[in-house]
Amino acid sequence: MIQVAIIEDDQVIREGIEEYINYQPEMICDSAKESVESFLAILNSENIPDVILMDIGLPGMSGISGIKILKEKHPQINILMFTVYHDSHKIFQSLCAGASGYLLKNVPFPEIKKAIEIVHDGGSLMSPQIARKVIDHFQENKKKTKPSPLTEKEKEIVLGLVDGLSYKMIAQEGFISLETVRSHIKNIYKKLHVHCKAEVIKKSLSGEI
Amino acid sequence: MIQVAIIEDDQVIREGIEEYINYQPEMICDSAKESVESFLAILNSENIPDVILMDIGLPGMSGISGIKILKEKHPQINILMFTVYHDSHKIFQSLCAGASGYLLKNVPFPEIKKAIEIVHDGGSLMSPQIARKVIDHFQENKKKTKPSPLTEKEKEIVLGLVDGLSYKMIAQEGFISLETVRSHIKNIYKKLHVHCKAEVIKKSLSGEI
DNA sequence: ATAAATATCCCATACATATGGTATTTTTAG
DNA sequence: CTAAAAATACCATATGTATGGGATATTTAT
């Protein structure tokens, strides 16, 4: 028997899902609350749910903060996000915080049931459009390879800056004069529209160069 | 009508799926090959599939190399991995190369059909245990968060450095004197065992602080 | 062939940074 | 309560950095 909890502020949705879950023979829901705070208030160590169905937009603490707190206290709980948000930021925040699944609110009840069973079974499930964003995230690293505006020599100088070398060091390692390094850096700044080393390092590390 | 192609070296599986797909009214498979090479040989610009069901362990070129080549030539094709491999390395290689879904070979035929429809529709689908590994990947970044040796004030200063602010700016924004900023930075350098701004920025951006 | 881009070098200068030392007040933890 | 840690502040000084100007050779592309 899978113990399910619901944290969802919309009374109609909350009670609808609760009823549906309690109608299933393999799962039971005995705590359905409208906020993280009120759920934490009734949570006792004797009766830890296996799966929590969690909204993001909640009165008081957000569902994402809720994930962190709940996973901190009870890492074994599987948290399934159940929300209308499909923006990448909320998705990745949720997953990083410890969610084990991410469902959009347009899914039919049997999908919710399936998702609960899957996460309880050690798997994960996301709505297809969420899964696509998650997968795209892996490809983004590769895709945005705009050709760098910098020349090879300039890139070499940038690598020196990133490694924390002084102009003098870069000059020595590249067998060029300090003045040449300065010139290159002036040009790099112009091309990248920056005005200090820190921004060059940031751009370089973020893959922009 | 969804045009499906299959690249799978096991004849029984290949022909089984082909038959199943051609039995579905909303999809058709007219190219089912045993290797990437032989698929590329018959691929012509008049008849590009919408979805390719791709194995990883293939004679000749691996399915992962196949993804790269096919996505390079025809980025609009959606590639669904269909394999026995469930190790993280192969999963992430596939996703980074451009796969839009990842199914384990133990899935029933209707799941394959559903996956084809989903990726054709702009979504993604993974087997539950694959999805869990993908999601775990996001949490791994957080888990190894050794407590920072820096105090809150010092972290604030670091953020200023990362943003490319000068000491003077940091002082102004933090309502402290330039000398205080210097003091904090001296301490930060000692704690992090670094000797210049560049290294602090690198450590900060890499999540080490 | 000729213009543009690149790589090299020099001068000058204001400001920023790294590093040493010292010292007071406030906060935190044992 | 007391010692340690943190936050604040100052002085001094050698280097480093950012920015302006200019110059010349070499390479690349039209």
Side-chain angles (χ1 to χ4, degrees):
Chain A
M1 182 68 82
I2 308 175
Q3 291 280 341
V4 182
I6 302 170
I7 307 180
E8 158 68 56
D9 59 330
D10 183 313
Q11 192 190 344
V12 176
I13 297 178
R14 185 176 67 243
E15 293 180 355
I17 297 176
E18 184 178 12
E19 200 175 324
Y20 171 76
I21 288 174
N22 282 324
Y23 189 73
Q24 309 304 315
E26 48 302 70
M27 48 189 67
I28 184 173
C29 173
D30 55 10
S31 42
K33 289 288 171 183
E34 76 295 337
S35 73
V36 176
E37 288 87 343
S38 53
F39 177 76
L40 286 171
I42 61 147
L43 183 66
N44 67 78
S45 311
E46 310 306 316
N47 195 26
I48 306 293
D50 299 303
V51 180
I52 297 176
L53 218 55
M54 169 97 80
D55 193 9
I56 288 186
L58 292 169
M61 186 185 300
S62 86
I64 291 170
S65 305
I67 302 173
K68 290 180 197 158
I69 291 179
L70 285 162
K71 286 295 269 191
E72 181 109 11
K73 286 191 170 183
H74 307 286
Q76 78 281 16
I77 296 181
N78 286 298
I79 299 179
L80 251 174
M81 302 316 281
F82 182 65
T83 174
V84 292
Y85 298 106
H86 55 270
D87 59 289
S88 301
H89 198 229
K90 289 240 172 26
I91 297 168
F92 294 124
Q93 276 189 312
S94 300
L95 298 183
C96 289
S100 295
Y102 200 107
L103 297 179
L104 292 177
K105 279 193 174 166
N106 59 11
V107 298
F109 277 5
E111 274 294 305
I112 298 177
K113 178 187 174 188
K114 190 175 155 194
I116 290 171
E117 287 170 334
I118 284 176
V119 302
H120 182 247
D121 211 44
S124 282
L125 192 133
M126 293 166 267
S127 294
Q129 53 178 129
I130 301 301
R132 171 64 71 136
K133 290 195 181 184
V134 169
I135 283 184
D136 282 349
H137 186 261
F138 289 93
Q139 288 154 25
E140 255 168 347
N141 306 329
K142 299 252 169 174
K143 90 172 177 207
K144 55 180 172 192
T145 325
K146 309 167 224 165
S148 168
L150 301 187
T151 67
E152 289 310 308
K153 197 73 199 176
E154 286 166 348
K155 285 184 212 166
E156 195 185 315
I157 307 274
V158 168
L159 290 181
L161 292 179
V162 171
D163 283 342
L165 304 181
S166 68
Y167 291 9
K168 203 187 278 182
M169 304 279 249
I170 294 172
Q172 273 172 26
E173 303 219 342
F175 303 106
I176 54 180
S177 98
L178 175 60
E179 293 301 329
T180 306
V181 175
R182 282 204 240 266
S183 288
H184 282 306
I185 288 176
K186 271 190 284 192
N187 290 327
I188 290 166
Y189 284 11
K190 275 200 186 106
K191 285 185 180 176
L192 300 181
H193 307 292
V194 302
H195 302 92
C196 73
K197 219 170 35 160
E199 295 183 76
V200 174
I201 293 172
K202 266 208 292 189
K203 290 211 175 209
S204 176
L205 291 177
S206 77
E208 266 201 72
I209 308 174
Chain B
M1 181 69 80
I2 307 177
Q3 292 280 341
V4 182
I6 303 170
I7 307 179
E8 160 66 58
D9 60 328
D10 184 312
Q11 193 190 344
V12 175
I13 297 178
R14 185 175 67 242
E15 293 178 356
I17 297 177
E18 185 179 12
E19 200 176 325
Y20 171 76
I21 288 175
N22 282 324
Y23 190 73
Q24 308 305 315
E26 52 296 75
M27 46 188 68
I28 183 172
C29 173
D30 54 10
S31 43
K33 289 289 171 182
E34 77 293 339
S35 73
V36 176
E37 288 87 342
S38 55
F39 176 76
L40 287 171
I42 61 148
L43 183 65
N44 67 77
S45 311
E46 310 306 314
N47 197 25
I48 307 292
D50 298 304
V51 179
I52 297 176
L53 218 56
M54 170 97 81
D55 194 9
I56 287 185
L58 293 170
M61 185 186 300
S62 85
I64 291 170
S65 305
I67 303 173
K68 289 178 197 159
I69 291 178
L70 284 162
K71 287 295 268 190
E72 180 109 10
K73 287 191 172 189
H74 307 285
Q76 79 280 16
I77 297 180
N78 285 299
I79 298 179
L80 250 174
M81 302 315 281
F82 182 67
T83 175
V84 293
Y85 298 105
H86 55 268
D87 59 289
S88 301
H89 198 228
K90 289 240 174 20
I91 296 167
F92 294 124
Q93 276 189 311
S94 300
L95 298 183
C96 289
S100 296
Y102 200 109
L103 298 179
L104 294 176
K105 278 193 174 166
N106 59 12
V107 298
F109 278 3
E111 273 293 306
I112 298 177
K113 178 188 173 187
K114 190 174 156 194
I116 291 171
E117 288 171 333
I118 284 175
V119 301
H120 182 247
D121 212 44
S124 283
L125 192 134
M126 291 166 269
S127 293
Q129 52 178 131
I130 301 301
R132 171 65 72 137
K133 290 197 181 182
V134 169
I135 282 183
D136 281 349
H137 186 261
F138 288 94
Q139 286 154 27
E140 255 169 345
N141 305 331
K142 296 260 168 170
K143 90 175 177 201
K144 51 184 170 189
T145 318
K146 310 164 221 162
S148 168
L150 302 187
T151 66
E152 288 310 309
K153 197 72 198 176
E154 287 166 346
K155 285 184 211 166
E156 193 184 317
I157 308 272
V158 168
L159 289 182
L161 293 180
V162 171
D163 282 343
L165 303 181
S166 67
Y167 291 11
K168 203 186 281 181
M169 304 278 249
I170 294 172
Q172 274 173 26
E173 303 219 342
F175 303 103
I176 54 180
S177 98
L178 175 61
E179 292 302 327
T180 307
V181 175
R182 282 204 238 269
S183 288
H184 282 307
I185 287 176
K186 272 191 284 194
N187 290 328
I188 290 167
Y189 284 12
K190 274 201 187 104
K191 285 184 179 177
L192 300 181
H193 308 292
V194 301
H195 305 281
C196 71
K197 218 171 33 160
E199 294 184 78
V200 175
I201 293 172
K202 266 209 294 189
K203 291 211 176 208
S204 176
L205 291 178
S206 78
E208 267 202 69
I209 308 172

